[in-house]
Amino acid sequence: MVLWLSWSLTWMMSLPTGATDLDIRILIAEDEALIAMQIEMDLEDAGYRVVGPYLSLPTCLEALKTERIDAAVLDVDLAGFDVFPVADQLQEAQTPFVFHTGRGSHERILARFPDAPICKKPAEVTNLLKQLNLPASIG
Amino acid sequence: MKNNKKNPVLLIVLVLIAGALVFVAAIVTFGFLTENTARNQARFSAAILTDLRRIEASLLDAETGQRGFIITEDPSYLSPYTRGVEEYGTAYSGLRDRLRDVQTTSQRMLLEDLSSSSENKLAELAQTVELVRRGERARAIAIVKTDLGKDLMDDIRSVIAQLENEEQDILQTTLAKAERVQHRIGVALIAALVLILGLLVMVFYLFRRSERLDRTEDLLDEVTYHRDRAELLAQELSHRVKNLFGIITSIVRMTGRGETDSGIVVGKISDRIGALARAHSLTTASETRKHVDMKELVQAVLEPYHTDTHDFTLDGPAVTLDSGILTPLGLILHELATNAVKYGAWSAGPGGCIAISWSVADETNGASSSLLHLTWAEKAGAGSALVEPEGFSQSSSGFGTKMIEMSTKQLKGSFKKKWNDGLVVELVLDLDDEFTDGSN
């Protein structure tokens, strides 16, 4: 607990942000509108900036090209498509991300991303943030 | 899966039946040949016996003529003699020819005996006849009295009797052999027929069994199919339940924000969950891929708001919706309905009505797709008018608006609103797009 707090604090200090307004941008990929909205609102309440939410794989991949992203919450199945191409790009860019899935079995995810954190749906935003090594609130 | 594999046992049995039939054909042919041989032998033996009798008779004739001539010295008595000698010649040569290729050793020797005895007999007869012709009857009688002729005749009779016995033996042997063969063939035929019958019963049984196996396999396939289907349904259901819990959690959390009055919050939450429940009640767990009718969905969602003063009309063709559309479209319709109750057609006096209409247009640009155009048009009742809310044309950041926008995005559709004596919402959805119900 102390460890991750100190780690995230150091990480936060290294971010190029204003003194009061931390601009941490979290991408949301989630195909269920209500759940996407809820995560978006909760993240915004916690003081984060939300990129998205993206409800389909093509829009999400498009966003990766143009948007600056510091972390990501990824629903594994995006309207019938695996979110893995997005995760691949994030991993390459060393951007932290957390998988948010309703599936009981995580084998398929762990086979491709053995170290990736996974949260079971529906997850508290605080839990998602913890998995991303981010504080519960920066407001 | 049908049991179309070659049955090796059946094949073997059929080969055995074919073999048994060939065997039957072979023994029947053999039996026929044996019988034919026996019949030929009987005919042959009868001819031999006739020859032997002719030889004996001809020699007796010749002797009779000789005796008559010696006694009477009348040449007319010689005619049996002459005929006998001639008859002997043909009869003997006939017998010899007949036996030439088939005679046994003893037959050959007896034939030689017969030949020499007969020649001697004929010589004795010729000698005595010649003596009588020359008037030396006393010498001829003396020769007869030597019993030479009688002895020779006895020899001849004995040899003929032996030849007859020999021929009878050969005939009997052949007939006995034929009879034995016939008997054996009879036994073999019965055995073969019993075998064929048994094999046919086996073929029948094998066919019945294979039929039963097919039926059992069909049944197993069916059971497997239903079990797989039940498993699939269970998985699907589990996913949907999890997903709905996620959605309900989101509804609760989001409805709660910004509201201080817990009574209002609870009311809103239960309304939204109720709309969701009504929309989902249209699907049944009996199908793996669930489809719902457009009209039923609208009716189900608006049903609790429908009163004498809150009327709505439905107009559109029968459209089947994928179940993935239920949550977003159901929530959109519900938000529009609550908005109508608060600010729209159902808020201002009696007679307010909402006209909901839809149409489907097939578009064939590139890949074919069918677009659903849904129009929600509110009209005030007679004698009252709806007032365009302030800032209507500006984009709203209210929860309802945002939820509608997001849900439209989930349906990969477009959403437009305008004011025409009341709120008019136009929603376009791509029906062919694969909607998932987000159950992941």
Side-chain angles (χ1 to χ4, degrees), chain B residues 121-322:
Chain B
K121 175 70 188 170
L122 289 175
E124 183 252 356
L125 291 177
Q127 192 189 4
T128 50
V129 167
E130 186 57 32
L131 284 171
V132 174
R133 271 196 187 132
R134 281 189 292 183
E136 296 176 50
R137 189 165 162 256
R139 274 186 67 192
I141 289 171
I143 290 171
V144 172
K145 279 189 172 170
T146 60
D147 281 353
L148 174 70
K150 184 178 168 289
D151 290 346
L152 282 170
M153 203 61 208
D154 288 346
D155 282 352
I156 287 165
R157 280 205 190 86
S158 149
V159 170
I160 283 177
Q162 283 180 60
L163 276 168
E164 275 178 357
N165 286 340
E166 186 105 349
E167 196 54 42
Q168 289 285 3
D169 281 352
I170 290 172
L171 178 60
Q172 288 313 317
T173 310
T174 309
L175 289 178
K177 190 180 153 205
E179 207 170 305
R180 272 202 312 281
V181 167
Q182 299 281 22
H183 178 72
R184 280 187 202 151
I185 282 174
V187 172
L189 262 181
I190 288 169
L193 289 175
V194 167
L195 177 70
I196 287 172
L197 208 68
L199 290 171
L200 284 175
V201 167
M202 210 161 150
V203 167
F204 180 71
Y205 166 76
L206 283 171
F207 270 119
R208 284 288 299 275
R209 200 183 64 161
S210 132
E211 224 172 81
R212 268 205 309 277
L213 275 176
D214 279 353
R215 270 206 297 275
T216 312
E217 252 174 52
D218 286 352
L219 212 66
L220 254 167
D221 286 350
E222 213 170 307
V223 168
T224 312
Y225 168 75
H226 283 293
R227 198 199 54 204
D228 290 351
R229 210 158 157 264
E231 264 173 29
L232 213 68
L233 270 173
Q235 274 176 19
E236 171 83 18
L237 213 61
S238 154
H239 282 158
R240 293 181 69 203
V241 167
K242 278 185 201 159
N243 184 51
L244 280 171
F245 274 123
I247 290 165
I248 288 166
T249 308
S250 298
I251 287 175
V252 172
R253 290 170 139 278
M254 281 186 293
T255 312
R257 59 175 56 236
E259 289 280 0
T260 46
D261 188 328
S262 63
I264 292 175
V265 172
V266 170
K268 280 185 176 177
I269 288 173
S270 70
D271 283 354
R272 283 174 181 154
I273 293 176
L276 202 63
R278 287 193 302 281
H280 279 272
S281 72
L282 297 176
T283 66
T284 54
S286 62
E287 306 146 63
T288 37
R289 208 66 200 137
K290 306 141 302 288
H291 297 283
V292 291
D293 182 55
M294 179 72 199
K295 196 170 176 178
E296 283 181 54
L297 176 64
V298 179
Q299 272 172 337
V301 175
L302 300 187
E303 186 259 330
Y305 302 97
H306 191 206
T307 62
D308 290 343
T309 51
H310 292 173
D311 202 11
F312 62 87
T313 59
L314 299 177
D315 179 27
V319 180
T320 309
L321 302 172
D322 193 275

Side-chain angles (χ1 to χ4, degrees), chain B residues 411-425:
Chain B
L411 295 175
K412 299 191 179 73
S414 67
F415 169 82
K416 259 187 283 181
K417 63 174 185 177
K418 59 186 181 189
W419 193 265
N420 184 12
D421 295 335
L423 175 70
V424 177
V425 170

Side-chain angles (χ1 to χ4, degrees), chain B residues 36-88:
Chain B
N36 218 25
T37 308
R39 201 176 294 123
N40 286 338
Q41 181 64 53
R43 213 173 283 135
F44 184 74
S45 296
I48 301 273
L49 293 174
T50 309
D51 285 344
L52 289 169
R53 288 207 188 96
R54 272 178 68 197
I55 288 168
E56 194 178 354
S58 65
L59 289 173
L60 278 174
D61 273 359
E63 192 179 50
T64 307
Q66 173 228 22
R67 297 286 155 86
F69 185 57
I70 290 173
I71 293 165
T72 61
E73 287 183 80
D74 180 353
S76 70
Y77 278 88
L78 272 179
S79 69
Y81 167 77
T82 321
R83 213 169 48 236
V85 171
E86 268 172 33
E87 175 74 11
Y88 169 79

